[in-house]
Amino acid sequence: MKFLAITLIVHAPDPVTGVQKSTHERFREVVDNALLAEELGFDGFGVGERHERPFISSSPPVVLSHIAALTSRIRLFTAVTTLSLLDPVRAYEDYATLDHLSAGRLDLIIGKGKGNGTAQRELFHVTPEDQWERNAESYELFRRIWRQEKVSASPRFRPELTDAEVWPRPLQQPVRVWHGSATSRESVDLAARCGDPLFSANVTHPIEPYAELIRHYRERWEHYGRDPARAVVGAGTAGYYAARTSQEAVAAYRPVFEGQLAFQKSQGLEPVFTTLEDFVERSSALIGSPQQIIDKVHRYHERFGHSVLHLQADAGGLTHAQHRASLELFQSAIAPVLRRDIPDPPFPWAPVTAAPEPELISVPAPAPTDR
């Protein structure tokens, strides 16, 4: 199993102290967390993309390029690239450049951003009705540009291309693209059709809706004639804190959870889990002793069959000392067991500069009842 640390770069008051860092300090913290992730042995570091409060993650290529210059081993993920908002040509240029600057350490996770708020849709004039079509069209074009020297296309949501050359060509051939999924069967089907891995958000609700989407992904993967053993799933977690005993972990995390709960309510959001005990029991959060966390990952693996797992890169209300000690405990007592018990993805983790392309299967658009 492989492990990522991921940040959405939330810029809000600390849920425990109420203190809010400056924008500069928050970006410095993100970079420091990436360096810590590489130091401790994480396999990847991810930066999300949001274009609205309380996030300042509007430019993942810039943040990841800076991290690439300061690291040498860890893979760099987007979490997620919201292609429904972006010009796929411009996005391609940014990420192909980043692929070279990182020496081929880039993985993309793409998504339409349905779970994000209305402010960023209004900013980019994207509607809930056309969000999926924009995402699918952008990815089809993005994929072609990545693989073809010249591209001609008449897309609906951007100007026509005629024998267009887009530079630079990426270092990896091609860069691996994961499809982020929280609610969309269409995104799951697109991933299966393209032969791409799936990354389940797995952070807001109990396990059932995510398990159902992953099951659908595997069904569609086989429908398109693909080897079931090559279907790859990653999954998120709603929170993480490990201590030597469950009592220590819960006691330390309680003020964090209560602060986060108060913040959600201040934003007019209805919490899914209203008590810490329910959050620990029914969400994907990993809070407890090392053995409790190992057991919970195994329970989720029984439903998901996932081979990649992400943890939150940010302290998020924990002290720096608590955050570091918890991540160190993960790498010393938890990760070795999970790496032994759960296989890695069936593809190279190191940069690949020449690889066969997954076949893109042409299929009819889904019927209106599937949307």
Side-chain angles (χ1 to χ4, degrees):
M1 181 170 250
K2 298 293 187 182
F3 302 102
L4 317 181
I6 284 182
T7 179
L8 301 181
I9 320 186
V10 176
H11 190 223
D14 184 288
V16 175
T17 67
V19 175
Q20 181 163 331
K21 295 180 171 67
S22 70
T23 300
H24 177 75
E25 290 172 324
R26 186 67 183 96
F27 278 124
R28 183 67 254 174
E29 186 177 56
V30 170
V31 173
D32 288 344
N33 285 337
L35 296 176
L36 177 62
E38 175 157 281
E39 175 192 339
L40 295 182
F42 280 84
D43 303 293
F45 187 85
V47 173
E49 180 180 338
R50 298 290 191 277
H51 300 270
E52 59 190 341
R53 292 177 183 269
F55 306 97
I56 52 173
S57 51
S58 58
S59 189
V62 176
V63 177
L64 289 172
S65 291
H66 185 65
I67 292 171
L70 300 174
T71 57
S72 60
R73 176 195 58 79
I74 200 166
R75 288 197 70 81
L76 307 174
F77 282 72
T78 64
V80 300
T81 295
T82 49
L83 279 182
S84 63
L85 308 180
L86 306 177
D87 179 337
V89 175
R90 191 69 186 93
Y92 163 86
E93 292 173 330
D94 285 342
Y95 285 115
T97 301
L98 172 55
D99 193 43
H100 282 278
L101 293 175
S102 65
R105 289 186 282 140
L106 176 65
D107 274 55
L108 293 178
I109 306 176
I110 67 164
K112 67 181 186 302
K114 181 179 179 181
N116 303 344
T118 58
Q120 69 177 19
R121 288 199 300 267
E122 293 171 356
L123 188 65
F124 290 93
H125 295 277
V126 173
T127 69
E129 291 73 28
D130 69 18
Q131 200 168 23
W132 159 249
E133 285 79 6
R134 285 177 179 272
N135 181 74
E137 178 185 281
S138 291
Y139 181 55
E140 297 284 358
L141 187 54
F142 192 89
R143 184 185 178 92
R144 288 183 58 194
I145 295 170
W146 214 287
R147 290 162 168 79
Q148 299 173 17
E149 295 290 338
K150 295 184 178 182
V151 174
S152 295
S154 299
R156 176 184 170 194
F157 297 107
R158 64 143 287 128
E160 183 178 1
L161 298 174
T162 303
D163 288 333
E165 299 182 52
V166 189
W167 299 97
R169 310 308 300 165
L171 178 61
Q172 297 182 97
Q173 297 295 325
V175 169
R176 184 163 47 244
V177 177
W178 304 67
H179 295 248
S181 171
T183 60
S184 171
R185 290 169 71 91
E186 296 97 328
S187 295
V188 164
D189 186 85
L190 181 63
R193 178 162 62 93
C194 295
D196 294 331
L198 183 74
F199 215 107
S200 174
N202 190 40
V203 295
T204 306
H205 301 286
I207 192 171
E208 285 75 18
Y210 304 114
E212 170 58 24
L213 280 175
I214 292 170
R215 183 193 62 76
H216 184 63
Y217 167 68
R218 295 186 185 280
E219 287 179 354
R220 300 306 291 170
W221 183 276
E222 293 191 50
H223 169 81
Y224 293 123
R226 302 192 183 282
D227 180 357
R230 304 293 297 179
V232 176
V233 174
T237 55
Y240 166 73
Y241 186 70
R244 290 297 173 184
T245 69
S246 60
Q247 292 83 0
E248 291 177 71
V250 169
Y253 202 82
R254 188 173 297 280
V256 175
F257 175 80
E258 291 175 350
Q260 292 173 343
L261 195 66
F263 180 75
Q264 290 177 43
K265 292 179 178 178
S266 75
Q267 300 296 301
L269 302 174
E270 187 66 32
V272 176
F273 306 100
T274 58
T275 68
L276 176 58
E277 288 71 22
D278 191 35
F279 183 64
V280 171
E281 175 63 26
R282 293 197 306 123
S283 83
S284 62
L286 303 176
I287 299 165
S289 68
Q291 189 58 54
Q292 286 175 309
I293 289 172
I294 290 167
D295 292 343
K296 190 168 188 178
V297 173
H298 273 290
R299 290 199 303 272
Y300 269 74
H301 180 71
E302 289 174 3
R303 301 286 299 275
F304 290 176
H306 58 310
S307 54
V308 179
L309 179 74
H310 90 49
L311 304 181
Q312 301 298 322
D314 300 312
L318 299 167
T319 68
H320 174 73
Q322 286 174 320
H323 181 54
R324 181 179 181 112
S326 181
L327 292 178
E328 288 176 341
L329 186 59
F330 182 87
Q331 288 294 354
S332 64
I334 300 170
V337 177
L338 295 175
R339 290 187 196 277
R340 182 196 67 205
D341 294 349
I342 300 175
D344 285 346
F347 47 63
W349 199 253
V352 176
T353 55
E357 303 172 10
E359 180 186 359
L360 178 59
I361 302 171
S362 178
V363 297
T369 55
D370 292 335
R371 292 181 179 272

